[in-house]
Amino acid sequence: MVEIRRHAERADRGKEHTLSLAGRAMAESLAKRAPKFALVVSSPLPRAEETAQLLAGRLDAVEPGFLPEMGGVIGDRIFGEMRTLADWAEVLREREDARKFASDQLATWARVAMRVGEKDRVLAISHGGIIELPAITLAQRLRTPLDGASFGYCEGVVITYAKGAPTTIEVVRL
């Protein structure tokens, strides 16, 4: 099982590498009700690493695959404009590069899931946009509707795998 969450709120845009005080509090609050994780990984950016450490109490590995180059997938869109999962689904419908990106990211998620037993839980901290596109793709494959807003800070999805294949996906909010 892989729980993929967006990092906590970052400090102002000029300090992209650190979490805000509110972001730190958000991760610490979530940690109080978080399950035990067999593996904790994050993207290589400090705000993701810090979120993992606050949420799980440790960071086992940095996973470069959780910070892939998105290239032109959203180059013509501003993250702030992507307010709903329906907005991201539209990008998937319109763009072959978005569909390829999503498939590649889903393969990364599956590889990380295979590093632990099927009943074990992985916490992975990544970034907005990087989570939405593959989550929507997987939800469509599994015929599981994902509605609502894009993933806010510390929100994301939990994916259950059986024999290396995803079987369920659910949104996790704060």
Side-chain angles (χ1 to χ4, degrees):
M1 183 177 302
V2 177
E3 183 172 321
I4 302 163
R5 290 183 178 262
R6 185 177 175 195
H7 60 79
E9 181 184 87
R10 66 179 170 207
D12 67 49
R13 295 254 183 214
K15 298 179 182 177
E16 289 190 17
H17 298 300
T18 61
L19 297 180
S20 69
L21 291 176
R24 290 182 60 79
M26 177 186 294
E28 289 168 348
S29 174
L30 188 56
K32 292 176 183 169
R33 59 184 192 276
K36 296 291 182 200
F37 298 102
L39 177 65
V40 180
V41 298
S42 79
S43 92
L45 291 185
R47 64 183 176 267
E49 293 177 8
E50 185 178 2
T51 300
Q53 290 170 339
L54 290 169
L55 212 155
R58 69 183 205 279
L59 176 62
D60 299 321
V62 169
E63 177 58 53
F66 286 109
L67 186 64
E69 173 58 46
M70 292 186 80
V73 172
I74 60 164
D76 60 346
R77 304 214 183 212
I78 298 170
F79 273 106
E81 292 177 0
M82 307 304 282
R83 300 207 191 313
T84 67
L85 294 175
D87 294 334
W88 288 106
E90 183 179 332
V91 170
L92 283 166
R93 282 190 299 277
E94 294 172 355
R95 300 187 59 148
E96 177 60 32
D97 59 345
R99 292 187 293 277
K100 180 176 180 347
F101 172 85
S103 291
D104 291 348
Q105 189 63 22
L106 285 170
T108 297
W109 296 2
R111 280 192 303 276
V112 169
M114 299 308 296
R115 291 166 58 183
V116 299
E118 286 184 6
K119 296 188 186 285
D120 293 325
R121 195 173 188 112
V122 174
L123 173 65
I125 304 296
S126 188
H127 305 273
I130 293 171
I131 301 171
E132 281 89 348
L133 290 170
I136 291 166
T137 300
L138 181 57
Q140 290 170 347
R141 288 181 191 166
L142 296 175
R143 293 190 163 91
T144 303
L146 296 183
D147 297 320
S150 290
F151 301 125
Y153 294 114
C154 288
E155 296 179 336
V157 293
V158 173
I159 303 163
T160 303
Y161 291 84
K163 298 180 182 172
T167 57
T168 65
I169 183 171
E170 68 178 275
V171 172
V172 287
R173 301 283 183 189
L174 288 176

